[in-house]
Amino acid sequence: MANMKVSHGLEIPKTSKRYGYLYEKAFTRENIYDAYLDARKGKRSKIGTYLFEKNLAQNLDSLYEQLMDNTYHPSQYREFIVYEPKRRVIQAPHFRDLVVQHAIYRVIYNIFNCTFIDTSFACRKNGGTHKASDYTQQEMRKYSGDSYFVKLDIRKFFYSIDRDVLKSLFEKKIKDKRFINLMMVFADANTSDKGIPIGNLLSQLYSLVYLNELDHFVKRELKIKSYVRYVDDFVLIGLTLKQAKEAKYLCEKFVQEKLHVELSHWTIQKIHKGINFVGYRTWKSAKFVRKHTLYKFKKSVVKKKVDSIVSIIGHAKGTKTLSYFKRILQALMPDYKNLIPNRSVKCLNM
């Protein structure tokens, strides 16, 4: 993973402990244009993308000039609320600001990605919930069902990130102060003295950088062999009860003292009880989606919401829940084979 070439980022030679001149590297005309191409993926139909592209050359030139003469300032976020899987305030940047974020992302992704452990799966190339879930089950199978696991998460993680701590983590790898200052502009949630915006492209990477400290503590100091993290949810597998209790205490102490955040929910149980993680209920022999997803699927079938049905089937790939989904479709949407894509039909028959 450390040497993996990431197609959406610039190649950074890994010869120096700290990197300088990143502002100049990020904001060339060429990289700004490539960042614009990245930013518009999946957003060509959005009004913000259309307005930016309507005067593309002028907007790119204006962005470049503002970045060069230090007059660039992001516009105020557009805020809205989502309720799945829980209530969250999303702060969406304007398209021109998304272009700048992509320009930064293209430069810093490889710098930080090579420091991440292999089993941090969120917001990374070749990552995702399926990979995190598969790895969790793989590790469960290495141990007796009477061994223990510890599952932990951070309370209100994105809202609780200490921006001073975050900046200090950036400074460990980057010595370009002007560049760090602009990075930190996109870390300001404009709501309190803590937290970073939910909805920012860069927030996803910033969250990885923040909890990377925890990952290395668990692996290097606690010497946990089977460990997996997805955003702020993390699991330590294959422990005795005494080890599990000690690991929970030490992780809690570490995040409080070093990262200034608090643990929220936590679970210590035997492996044979199953692990509820990244949207799946996982045992050694089988996986199922969570009960809330079952309810959501049935509701989508009743309302014939095809996009939602397809998405949930994709989420359930490789689980024992697919046979239940198939029965629901046969009972409530008997013509489902004519309504959903063939790939989803094949998935149901796997």
Side-chain angles (χ1 to χ4, degrees), residues 36 46 61 94 102 110 119 132 138-139 188 222 230 270 283 315:
Y36 146 70
K46 302 288 186 181
D61 272 345
H94 289 261
H102 272 282
N110 285 341
T119 57
Q138 169 192 310
E139 295 306 296
D188 189 352
L222 302 187
Y230 195 91
K270 289 185 176 181
W283 285 265
H315 173 67

Side-chain angles (χ1 to χ4, degrees), residues 21 36 107 115 158 166 178 208 237 240 246 251 268 278 349:
Y21 303 105
Y36 146 70
V107 167
T115 71
F158 282 90
L166 181 64
R178 181 165 65 148
L208 290 176
I237 304 168
T240 65
E246 183 177 13
C251 285
I268 296 177
V278 293
N349 292 327

Side-chain angles (χ1 to χ4, degrees), residues 88-102:
R88 294 180 298 169
V89 178
I90 303 298
Q91 295 176 297
H94 289 261
F95 186 80
R96 67 187 290 272
D97 301 321
L98 185 58
V99 172
V100 177
Q101 288 195 44
H102 272 282

Side-chain angles (χ1 to χ4, degrees), residues 80-93:
F80 58 94
I81 298 174
V82 298
Y83 294 91
E84 291 288 344
K86 57 187 176 183
R87 186 186 185 278
R88 294 180 298 169
V89 178
I90 303 298
Q91 295 176 297

Side-chain angles (χ1 to χ4, degrees), residues 287-289 294 297 309 312-329 344-350:
K287 287 192 293 183
F288 300 85
V289 300
L294 300 178
F297 182 80
I309 292 169
I312 296 172
I313 290 173
H315 173 67
K317 186 177 180 180
T319 73
K320 297 291 187 181
T321 310
L322 287 173
S323 58
Y324 171 78
F325 285 171
K326 188 175 181 179
R327 291 197 300 272
I328 292 294
L329 285 166
S344 298
V345 175
K346 290 179 180 178
C347 188
L348 289 168
N349 292 327
M350 291 174 65

